Amino acid sequence: MGSAALPLLLLGCRPQDAKEEPPQPFVFRSLNLRQKGTDGLPLWELSSPEARYDLGRRVAQARDLSGTIYAKGQPAYRLKATSGTVINDGEVVQLEGLTRLVKLGPKPLLITAQRLRWYPRQERMVIDHSPQASQGDLRLSSRRALVLLQQEKLELRGKPLLERSGSDQLKLALKAVDWYARTGQLEGMGPVRGERRLPANVVQTLTAPRLSGNSLTRVIDLAAPVQLLDPSRKARLDASDTRIEMALERISSPHPFTAQLDQSRLSGQGFEVLGRSHTVLIPQACRIQQPGDSLKANRCSWNWQTNEVAADGGVVLRRQSLNQITRAERLTGLLSKEGRAEFSNPGNRVLSQVKVPPRSEAGPRRSAKPPPFAP
C-alpha cells in the first residue's frame, strides 16, 4: 500500500512550473506500410530501410522509399524516391528528390519528378516540379502534371513539350496534353508549334490547331490546317489532316495540298514524305507551276538528296516559249537550287508540238533553224 502511494506523493511534490518534454519520435530500422481493400486485395505498399515516426503528429519520414500500387490485386505501378513523408498514416505521401513512377506493361511508361504528392484514397498524384514522362524515344515534359491512377491517365499542363529523340528529331509545343498509359492514346490541345531537325542542321517548323496520336504505335495525327516551313529551301507546305509515322519515318496526307518551293509551285491529291529514301511522292493529280513552264502528270516524285525529279503517267509539259507542248508517259529532270525543274526524256518517245509565229513578208529572209527545246 505504501509502495503504490509513492508515485502519487512524488507527483504531488513536483514544482508547478515544470513542463513535460515532448515525446521523442520513434526510429525504426525499416518501415513497411500496406493497405488492403474491402475485398482483401492489396491496394498499395511502401517500404524504407530507415524511418522516423512522430506518434503525436502521425507523420513518418523515410529515406530510399520504394513501393507498389496495385490494380485488381496485380502490380500496376512501381515507385521510388530519395526521401518521403507519410502523413496521417498514409492519407498523403509526399515524395522528394529523384522520384520515379513506372506504369508497368509491355512498354513501360516512366514518369520522373523532383517532388510528387500522392493521395492514396483519391487515387491521384500531383506533380508540380519538373515532371517528365517517357516511353521509348518519346518524351513529354511540362510545368505540372496530374496522375489519375484508376484511369491510367496523365494530364500535363503548363507549356507541355512532346519530343522525339534520334537522328530525325521532333519537338511539338502544345497548350495541354492527356496521355493514357495503358492504351498509349495521346490527345494534345493546341495551338501546336513544332520543330523538326534534320541532318545537316536543317530545321523545319510546323503548326496545327491540335493533335492526337498513340505512343505505342508511334503515330501522331495533326489536325487541319497544317503548315510546314523549310527556310533552307524557301519552301512552304499547306495541307489538311496529316499523319506522322515515326517508326516508318513517313509524313503523309491523302487530302489535296499546295506547296511553294522557291520559284516552283506544287499541288496534288495527297503526298508522302519518306525519310529513309529521302523522297517526296505525289501519288495523284500532280501539278507543277514555274516561270515559263507548267507540268501535269498522274504522279510525281522528288529525291531531295539527289534533286532528281520524275513525272509519270499522262505527262503534259507546257512551255510558253514558242507555245511548246510535250506529251509523254514519263519525264525526268533535276531540281535547281532555285526550285526550278528542268525535264528531259532521252531515248524515249515523246510528242512535241511547237507553234511557230508566221514570218513577216516585209522582213528579210532568214535560214530556218530548229526550235531550241530539249524534250
Side-chain angles (χ1 to χ4, degrees), residues 79-359:
L79 61 86
K80 286 187 176 182
T82 304
S83 62
T85 303
V86 183
I87 303 171
N88 289 339
D89 299 332
E91 184 177 334
V92 181
V93 180
Q94 179 157 309
L95 306 176
E96 296 182 338
L98 179 58
T99 303
R100 294 165 56 92
L101 177 69
V102 179
K103 174 64 181 74
L104 303 177
K107 294 184 178 180
L109 173 65
L110 170 64
I111 301 172
T112 61
Q114 292 297 314
R115 185 172 61 199
L116 182 153
R117 288 192 305 278
W118 173 26
Y119 301 87
R121 293 180 183 176
Q122 301 174 21
E123 296 189 283
R124 68 185 180 99
M125 295 178 171
V126 177
I127 309 174
D128 57 7
H129 190 70
S130 305
Q132 290 188 2
S134 59
Q135 190 173 56
D137 59 357
L138 286 180
R139 182 177 68 180
L140 266 167
S141 58
S142 64
R143 292 181 178 176
R144 59 188 183 277
L146 175 65
V147 183
L148 302 176
L149 298 171
Q150 188 175 17
Q151 301 178 38
E152 299 179 318
K153 180 182 179 183
L154 175 64
E155 298 180 354
L156 294 110
R157 302 294 185 265
K159 296 185 177 180
L161 182 66
L162 173 61
E163 299 178 81
R164 184 214 178 200
S165 59
S167 58
D168 188 6
Q169 298 179 7
L170 177 68
K171 293 183 179 180
L172 298 174
L174 304 105
K175 183 178 180 181
V177 177
D178 292 341
W179 193 352
Y180 294 85
R182 183 176 60 83
T183 63
Q185 183 68 21
L186 281 166
E187 296 293 339
M189 286 65 79
V192 181
R193 302 186 183 277
E195 182 181 278
R196 183 168 175 255
R197 190 170 296 274
L198 302 176
N201 204 30
V202 174
V203 178
Q204 299 175 339
T205 59
L206 63 86
T207 57
R210 64 186 181 278
L211 65 80
S212 60
N214 193 290
S215 60
L216 300 179
T217 58
R218 300 176 68 209
V219 169
I220 294 176
D221 291 317
L222 300 170
V226 177
Q227 185 179 93
L228 177 66
L229 300 177
D230 188 340
S232 67
R233 287 188 170 270
K234 299 180 181 179
R236 169 176 170 167
L237 169 71
D238 292 287
S240 187
D241 296 343
T242 300
R243 168 162 288 190
I244 302 175
E245 299 171 87
M246 288 170 282
L248 301 176
E249 297 184 20
R250 178 169 66 182
I251 304 175
S252 63
S253 174
H255 307 289
F257 79 96
T258 59
Q260 189 76 30
L261 186 62
D262 202 347
Q263 297 184 12
S264 297
R265 181 179 175 86
L266 293 82
S267 63
Q269 180 69 33
F271 67 89
E272 290 183 72
V273 181
L274 306 176
R276 293 177 181 175
S277 60
H278 312 287
T279 304
V280 178
L281 300 177
I282 304 173
Q284 297 182 58
C286 173
R287 301 290 185 271
I288 300 177
Q289 297 280 344
Q290 54 191 27
D293 297 340
S294 67
L295 178 143
K296 67 177 183 178
N298 293 342
R299 56 192 175 276
C300 298
S301 66
W302 165 45
N303 186 307
W304 67 79
Q305 195 173 57
T306 63
N307 281 326
E308 295 178 358
V309 183
D312 292 279
V315 183
V316 178
L317 175 63
R318 298 179 182 271
R319 292 190 173 105
Q320 291 182 0
S321 175
L322 299 180
N323 292 324
Q324 178 187 341
I325 301 176
T326 300
R327 303 177 188 274
E329 281 303 306
R330 179 178 175 84
L331 288 179
T332 59
L334 290 174
L335 197 69
S336 68
K337 293 182 179 180
E338 294 76 24
R340 182 180 176 86
E342 295 293 338
F343 288 95
S344 64
N345 197 10
N348 293 313
R349 182 182 295 273
V350 298
L351 176 63
S352 294
Q353 177 182 337
V354 179
K355 184 176 181 180
V356 181
R359 184 182 60 188

